[in-house]
Amino acid sequence: MLGSAIIVFRETLEAALIIGIIAVATRNLRNRNSWLSAGILAGIIGSLLVALFTGRIAELAEGVGQELFNAGVLGLAAAMLAWHNIWMARHGMKLARDAKQLGQDVRTGSREMSALALVVGLAILREGSETALFLYGLLSGGEETLSTVLGGGAIGLLLGCLAGYGLYAGVLRIPARHFFAATSGLILLLAAAMASQAARFLVQADVLPSLASPLWNSTWLIDNNSLMGRLLHTLAGYEAMPSGIQVVFYVATLALILAGMRMVRSQPPTVLPT
Amino acid sequence: MKRFLALLALLGLSLASVAADTEFALVIRDHRFEPAEIRVPANQKIKLVVHNQDATPEEFESHELNREKVIAPGAKATIFVGPLKPGRYPFFGEFHDKTARGVLIAE
């Protein structure tokens, strides 16, 4: 029971933190809740399908299909987050200035929401498929009964969601004028974290060279296995022992998104008819 | 464009080098790794082939090796590691971490 609670908590926490950040960043967009719910639902269905076909996926591409799949999922999510940040750099200031205009531009708003709902779905896809496999393993291994597995899983799920909600509520308290900078900063780190994890999977599949493995070892400072290490890993991509290529991907993603944000900001803003 | 071509060349190079890697086999049986201790050469890339003979899925994980991979029941998974500095690199099965423990020794 404890085993299933801990694993479900860990996996839920990662997805819940990502959903929390996205829920904060989109709090003013129209139909936000239905988009988020759609993303969550699609993610759960998708993760059950992925769990079902894990063996098949792993066999693809000479045994490294799982890595390529994970890298693809992470890369797509990072690209969506990058696009969100650059979009917000252009429109966010205006949205923050004039509260009445919020959600007025429904078309761009829903385009924006569909991209972020996709990120939510992808985050659940990754964590959910692992959770499903783990719980299935516990059940078919006969080590625990259905009720202890489900009970432990429910506790883990609840605690993970609470942590995600805690982050959401905490970020919401940030004063309005710092809000934009805070959320785009969080999304920026999240995108870089995903790019770095995608690089790690590509090294594991031997598609990319590791350059140095590890580049440094900061396990003595923050262990990846500790709660703090896990939080920082999910939110900011912290690795105690990163390979060189992960750092390259991390820094390059940060630089590209920041450059994109700066570029659209320096262009004259599109004037909406009033 | 140039950078893209360079990346492609790099990709081709690393794919071409696959065949030259030394291969090591691990088996998961009754939620344990066999052998629980595996010796590999340091400073060169190696290919781990992990065969899960249990009826349940397992996740090969190692913080020291910076690797994680879910292995379906009955499946063989390929995991590339290294080049490693000489030393001990513990790994475990995340789904049964009380019994599934092992260490990779690079020397």
Side-chain angles (χ1 to χ4, degrees):
Chain A
M1 177 140 178
L2 190 65
S4 51
I6 289 174
I7 296 241
V8 173
F9 171 68
R10 277 202 226 152
E11 306 291 346
T12 310
L13 181 67
E14 293 185 26
L17 291 177
I18 293 171
I19 296 169
I21 290 176
I22 287 171
V24 165
T26 57
R27 77 198 190 294
N28 286 329
L29 291 175
R30 201 174 267 188
N31 299 333
R32 176 257 243 169
N33 284 344
S34 20
W35 277 108
L36 285 186
S37 312
I40 291 171
L41 192 68
I44 292 173
I45 295 171
S47 64
L48 292 176
L49 286 176
V50 170
L52 199 62
F53 292 111
T54 295
R56 202 75 58 78
I57 294 172
E59 280 162 21
L60 297 174
E62 292 176 30
V64 294
Q66 195 181 108
E67 282 84 352
L68 299 184
F69 177 78
N70 277 328
V73 165
L74 286 162
L76 184 59
M80 291 293 141
L81 290 175
W83 184 68
H84 163 84
N85 251 17
I86 294 169
W87 184 85
M88 278 304 274
R90 194 169 179 80
H91 301 271
M93 296 296 200
K94 197 171 55 207
L95 289 180
R97 238 190 350 256
D98 188 355
K100 278 186 211 145
Q101 277 195 0
L102 291 183
Q104 198 156 54
D105 198 348
V106 177
R107 250 185 63 213
T108 43
S110 59
R111 224 182 335 148
E112 169 64 7
M113 256 334 290
S114 56
L116 287 183
L118 183 62
V119 176
V120 165
L122 293 173
I124 296 183
L125 185 69
R126 267 175 47 70
E127 313 301 340
S129 54
E130 259 180 49
T131 313
L133 280 172
F134 167 72
L135 294 179
Y136 165 75
L138 272 188
L139 276 177
S140 58
E143 292 150 52
E144 297 197 40
T145 64
L146 184 66
S147 57
T148 60
V149 167
L150 288 184
I155 294 171
L157 186 67
L158 187 71
L159 290 177
C161 292
L162 277 178
Y165 184 78
L167 176 91
Y168 172 74
V171 180
L172 273 188
R173 296 170 72 103
I174 294 174
R177 62 204 163 93
H178 301 303
F179 193 85
F180 174 72
T183 53
S184 61
L186 280 171
I187 295 229
L188 187 66
L189 291 177
L190 203 57
M194 287 178 170
S196 137
Q197 285 178 50
R200 191 186 55 160
F201 280 116
L202 291 177
V203 172
Q204 184 167 315
D206 201 31
V207 173
L208 286 177
S210 68
L211 298 186
S213 63
L215 191 62
W216 68 70
N217 185 353
S218 50
T219 307
W220 57 273
L221 189 65
I222 302 171
D223 192 332
N224 256 135
N225 209 17
S226 65
L227 186 62
M228 189 62 182
R230 269 197 110 82
L231 275 176
L232 283 175
H233 175 76
T234 305
L235 293 179
Y238 171 76
E239 296 266 7
M241 303 171 80
S243 60
I245 192 92
Q246 282 188 273
V247 179
V248 170
F249 267 61
Y250 192 91
V251 174
T253 307
L254 282 186
L256 278 174
I257 298 178
L258 281 174
M261 289 169 72
R262 182 156 298 182
M263 222 160 71
V264 299
R265 222 176 265 161
S266 61
Q267 285 169 9
T270 41
V271 182
L272 285 177
T274 44
Chain B
M1 193 60 202
K2 243 183 198 165
R3 206 179 292 166
F4 180 68
L5 284 179
L7 195 74
L8 267 188
L10 207 70
L11 208 82
L13 210 72
S14 60
L15 284 178
S17 67
V18 168
D21 298 320
T22 347
E23 202 175 305
F24 292 88
L26 265 177
V27 169
I28 300 171
R29 196 181 296 142
D30 299 327
H31 311 311
R32 285 172 203 282
F33 288 107
E34 289 174 34
E37 200 178 284
I38 186 163
R39 288 176 187 273
V40 304
N43 303 318
Q44 80 177 69
K45 198 163 63 196
I46 56 157
K47 181 179 176 183
L48 275 181
V49 178
V50 189
H51 186 186
N52 181 5
Q53 298 183 350
D54 282 338
T56 58
E58 185 57 272
E59 183 174 40
F60 177 95
E61 182 157 357
S62 169
H63 300 296
E64 285 75 7
L65 293 167
N66 200 2
R67 292 288 178 271
E68 58 177 320
K69 179 158 186 163
V70 177
I71 310 169
K76 277 187 182 175
T78 305
I79 303 167
F80 289 91
V81 294
L84 297 168
K85 293 183 194 117
R88 292 172 63 85
Y89 299 84
F91 54 84
F92 59 98
E94 196 183 9
F95 294 169
H96 303 92
D97 65 349
K98 282 201 193 76
T99 51
R101 300 200 151 262
V103 60
L104 187 140
I105 300 170
E107 54 191 13

